[in-house]
């Protein structure tokens, strides 16, 4: 059974030429080019014969024949051109028919040409053989033999009609004796040699072409088989991906339910702990206070993890798209930094802003982008002992670039490729964390059509890290060029 994928590929391939068709196309083009060469050759040979070798015969019929050749050659040329452009099916048969008609016309023209240029006296009579070789390359042996018969019939008829005086004979004066065409020995010898050369060369050329065609057929079959196998594999891979996607969705919904169910009791427990810590449920000793303190911290961490876990399915199911509106990234950064300045101050870390005043607005989810910037800046603060955290915004053609650079511990080079994976935490960190912040950040940026990456050490420095992301500007958005100061 043909699957939809295979059907699409087969449909695509309907317009693609198979090797046999391509070879035939080359053949018919060569036939057409040879036609022009032949016309030129006939004209040159005539002029050389008349003016070079002083052979006297009338050139007018030769020019008329050349004109006729040029006309049908031009027609063939135009047909070949049309064949190349169009998707005529079956192409092979059409090319063969064109080729056969061309060869028949060539044989007839050569016969008339030979008649006007000495008949059996003309050594070019052997040019009939060339046509048979040309035909053998592409046509079936049966057809070539038929054409060979036709060529012999034409020559014998011509020579016979001249011999018996039914049609006049043109003598190549100065080249052959005027009565040569009536010498039975010469006439028979030329015809026998010509017939044998035509038959032998036809047999040899068609045999060779047969072997080559069979080989070509084998190559085509092999190609078809490989394509079929590949299509099957592709189909299997697509099914596997769809299955994985389904499993992932099921897993995400399981996480979502589990996280949701855990959140309510944990929040309640944390509430009770705060009541106890506040002394509302009776006096507590210092030791009990410490234990309760540690418990609330652990519960806060757990609640953070739960809220991260709940975020993943929300982002993956495209919730961000619904939240998108026209917003100012500058405002988003400002809001995020308000909450983080105190933490930075406590650690003695300076926060620098490099934000140009007239940035264009973007389309995005304000809360989600605030989550991204908060996560990147709070990571920068967490993983920096001393120094600065710089947040920079730059307008570029088509997007705004946001960069958060710190002077902190950096990320080991071998671990950098995994930095955005779920639950990944580098080997050089001690502070607690979920390892989900960056993976969620990446999901949010990608849902906005942007890109995120990390560099460590930060460019232009030997320490720290730089996290950069882009947010595309809406189409038609003004792209400002800052004037050089
Ligand atoms: P978390 O911070 O909760 O561990 P994240 O997903 O936010 O989770 O970060 C994943 C890991 O990436 C961190 O554990 C840390 O190893 C590394 N990391 C993130 N930001 C920085 C930074 N600014 N400097 C050094 N390492 C960082």
């Amino acid at each position: 059974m043909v699957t939809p994928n295979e059907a699409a590929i087969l449909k695509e391939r309907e317009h693609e030429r198979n090797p046999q068709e391509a070879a035939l196309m080359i053949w018919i083009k060569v036939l057409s080019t040879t036609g022009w060469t032949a016309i030129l050759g006939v004209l040159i040979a005539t002029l050389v014969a008349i003016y070079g070798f002083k052979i006297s015969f009338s050139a007018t019929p030769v020019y008329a024949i050349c004109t006729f050749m040029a006309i049908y050659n031009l027609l063939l040329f135009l047909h070949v051109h049309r064949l190349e452009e169009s998707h005529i099916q079956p192409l092979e048969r059409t090319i063969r028919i064109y080729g056969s008609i061309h060869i028949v016309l060539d044989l007839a023209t050569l016969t008339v040409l030979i008649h006007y240029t000495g008949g059996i006296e003309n050594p070019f009579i052997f040019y009939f053989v060339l046509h048979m070789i040309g035909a053998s390359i592409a046509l079936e042996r049966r057809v070539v033999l038929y054409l060979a018969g036709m060529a012999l019939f034409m020559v014998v008829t011509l020579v016979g009609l001249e011999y018996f005086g039914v049609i006049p004979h043109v003598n190549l004066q100065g080249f052959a004796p005027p009565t040569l065409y009536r010498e039975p020995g010469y006439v028979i010898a030329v015809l026998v040699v010509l017939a044998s050369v035509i038959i032998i060369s036809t047999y040899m050329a068609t045999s060779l072409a047969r072997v080559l065609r069979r080989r070509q057929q084998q190559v085509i079959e092999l190609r078809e088989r490989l394509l079929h196998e590949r299509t099957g594999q592709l189909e299997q891979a697509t099914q596997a991906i769809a299955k994985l996607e389904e499993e992932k969705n099921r897993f995400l919904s399981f996480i979502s339910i589990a996280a949701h169910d855990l959140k309510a009791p944990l929040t309640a427990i944390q509430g009770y702990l705060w009541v106890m810590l506040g002394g509302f449920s009776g006096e507590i000793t210092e030791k009990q206070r410490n234990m309760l303190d540690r418990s609330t911290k652990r519960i806060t961490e757990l609640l953070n993890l739960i809220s991260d876990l709940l975020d993943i399915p929300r982002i993956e199911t495209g919730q961000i798209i619904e939240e998108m509106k026209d917003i100012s990234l500058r405002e988003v950064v400002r809001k995020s930094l308000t909450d983080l300045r105190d933490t930075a101050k406590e650690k003695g870390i300076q926060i620098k802003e490099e934000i140009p005043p007239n940035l264009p607005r973007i389309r995005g989810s304000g809360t989600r982008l605030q989550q991204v910037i908060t996560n990147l800046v709070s990571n920068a603060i967490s993983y920096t002992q001393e120094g600065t955290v710089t947040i920079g915004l730059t307008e570029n053609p088509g997007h705004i670039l946001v960069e958060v650079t710190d002077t902190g511990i950096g990320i080991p080079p071998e671990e950098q490729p995994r930095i955005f994976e779920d639950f990944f935490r580098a080997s050089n960190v001690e502070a607690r964390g979920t390892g989900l912040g960056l993976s969620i950040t990446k999901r949010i940026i990608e849902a906005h059509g942007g890109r995120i990456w990390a560099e460590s050490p930060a460019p232009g420095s030997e320490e720290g890290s730089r996290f950069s992301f882009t947010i595309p500007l809406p189409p038609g958005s003004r792209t400002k060029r800052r004037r050089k100061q």
Side-chain angles (χ1 to χ4, degrees):
M1 205 186 86
V2 180
T3 62
N5 236 347
E6 279 176 297
I9 290 174
L10 291 175
K11 194 163 187 334
E12 176 100 328
R13 293 193 54 240
E14 268 176 22
H15 296 320
E16 196 187 295
R17 239 166 243 147
N18 69 37
Q20 207 141 336
E21 287 173 343
L24 277 170
M25 200 43 132
I26 294 172
W27 174 73
I28 194 93
K29 278 189 191 165
V30 170
L31 218 60
S32 165
T33 320
T34 319
W36 297 114
T37 323
I39 295 170
L40 194 71
V42 170
L43 290 174
I44 294 174
T46 307
L47 294 175
V48 171
I50 294 174
Y51 300 105
F53 292 99
K54 305 282 180 227
I55 303 171
S56 109
F57 62 96
S58 167
T60 318
V62 176
Y63 297 145
I65 292 165
C66 283
T67 313
F68 176 66
M69 280 170 86
I71 292 170
Y72 74 72
N73 213 43
L74 184 70
L75 287 178
L76 177 79
F77 177 80
L78 294 176
H79 276 302
V80 171
H81 191 68
R82 198 169 60 90
L83 276 186
E84 272 207 301
E85 303 283 292
S86 63
H87 302 294
I88 295 174
Q89 293 294 342
L91 189 65
E92 287 182 38
R93 199 166 156 262
T94 316
I95 297 180
R96 287 207 172 99
I97 290 174
Y98 280 180
S100 308
I101 294 174
H102 193 263
I103 290 171
V104 171
L105 281 170
D106 273 350
L107 293 176
T109 321
L110 185 59
T111 311
V112 179
L113 191 68
I114 292 288
H115 168 61
Y116 283 106
T117 53
I120 197 127
E121 298 165 9
N122 189 339
F124 283 101
I125 202 164
F126 285 95
Y127 267 41
F128 279 99
V129 179
L130 289 184
H131 288 92
M132 293 307 106
I133 294 174
S136 307
I137 293 171
L139 303 178
E140 284 167 30
R141 176 176 280 173
R142 189 175 47 88
V143 181
V144 185
L145 286 176
Y146 181 72
L147 288 172
M150 193 184 278
L152 282 172
F153 173 76
M154 286 182 190
V155 180
V156 172
T157 309
L158 170 75
V159 173
L161 290 177
E162 286 186 14
Y163 182 86
F164 292 110
V166 181
I167 53 170
H169 170 72
V170 178
N171 176 236
L172 296 178
Q173 278 176 39
F175 178 71
T179 53
L180 191 62
Y181 77 102
R182 301 212 62 163
E183 280 176 26
Y186 174 77
V187 171
I188 290 170
V190 170
L191 287 181
V192 167
V193 173
L194 180 65
S196 59
V197 173
I198 284 182
I199 291 166
I200 293 169
S201 56
T202 302
Y203 181 78
M204 278 167 62
T206 49
S207 305
L208 204 66
R210 248 187 196 183
V211 174
L212 289 176
R213 266 205 295 278
R214 217 169 289 150
R215 275 285 154 87
Q216 201 175 38
Q217 194 55 39
Q218 284 169 351
V219 172
I220 294 173
E221 278 166 18
L222 194 69
R223 198 179 88 135
E224 293 291 318
R225 215 175 48 230
L226 277 176
L227 190 82
H228 199 75
E229 279 172 16
R230 286 282 150 84
T231 319
Q233 285 168 357
L234 196 74
E235 193 66 30
Q236 276 175 2
T238 316
Q239 278 169 8
I241 291 171
K243 209 168 150 213
L244 278 176
E245 190 72 22
E246 204 183 300
E247 274 170 21
K248 188 183 110 184
N249 286 341
R250 224 177 297 143
F251 179 65
L252 284 175
S253 94
F254 162 75
I255 286 191
S256 172
I257 295 166
H260 199 267
D261 287 355
L262 281 171
K263 197 176 172 183
L266 279 173
T267 317
I269 293 170
Q270 197 179 40
Y272 288 130
L273 291 177
W274 279 334
V275 170
M276 287 159 92
L277 270 170
F280 300 110
S281 60
E283 281 298 305
I284 51 168
T285 63
E286 200 46 41
K287 200 172 168 194
Q288 284 169 331
R289 176 175 297 281
N290 277 340
M291 286 162 81
L292 288 175
D293 234 355
R294 281 214 296 275
S295 302
T296 49
K297 274 190 190 139
R298 286 293 162 87
I299 288 178
T300 308
E301 281 168 18
L302 255 180
L303 283 170
N304 284 343
L305 173 67
I306 287 173
S307 96
D308 281 353
L309 286 175
L310 281 172
D311 267 350
I312 297 176
R314 283 189 201 130
I315 300 166
E316 298 247 334
T317 50
Q319 199 199 53
I320 288 185
I321 313 276
E322 288 161 28
E323 297 167 6
M324 288 210 184
K325 45 183 178 245
D326 266 11
I327 51 161
S328 147
L329 255 187
R330 186 186 167 87
E331 272 312 302
V332 173
V333 173
R334 281 272 153 83
K335 276 191 199 154
S336 315
L337 293 185
T338 317
D339 300 336
L340 294 164
R341 277 187 208 284
D342 289 344
T343 331
K345 213 170 184 182
E346 273 168 29
K347 283 190 79 176
I349 292 167
Q350 193 196 351
I351 293 196
K352 277 199 215 160
E353 288 173 57
E354 291 174 357
I355 308 177
N358 295 321
L359 280 178
R361 293 171 77 79
I362 56 144
R363 246 196 109 59
S365 156
T367 36
R368 290 296 175 184
L369 289 174
Q370 191 172 332
Q371 183 181 350
V372 165
I373 290 162
T374 306
N375 181 43
L376 293 180
V377 177
S378 72
N379 270 354
I381 298 170
S382 299
Y383 302 119
T384 300
Q385 300 309 328
E386 55 183 37
T388 48
V389 170
T390 312
I391 173 148
L393 266 62
T394 325
E395 183 191 346
N396 287 322
H399 67 258
I400 291 186
L401 174 71
V402 182
E403 290 168 317
V404 178
T405 314
D406 62 53
T407 54
I409 57 170
I411 308 155
E414 65 284 3
E415 294 181 62
Q416 287 177 21
R418 301 189 54 203
I419 204 81
F420 293 102
E421 283 177 15
D422 289 334
F423 302 107
F424 182 78
R425 309 204 65 229
S427 54
N428 61 339
V429 296
E430 280 162 14
R432 304 182 83 87
T434 61
L436 277 174
L438 283 181
S439 70
I440 292 173
T441 295
K442 185 168 187 274
R443 285 181 171 94
I444 296 175
I445 297 301
E446 285 174 355
H448 279 81
R451 212 164 63 80
I452 184 164
W453 66 99
E455 293 157 286
S456 182
S461 153
E462 279 171 14
E463 55 174 3
S465 334
R466 175 181 289 169
F467 284 81
S468 316
F469 69 85
T470 59
I471 294 287
L473 284 169
S477 166
R478 163 190 65 95
T479 303
K480 170 181 63 71
R481 290 263 157 263
R482 235 167 292 139
R483 253 181 262 132
K484 283 203 171 137
Q485 306 282 315

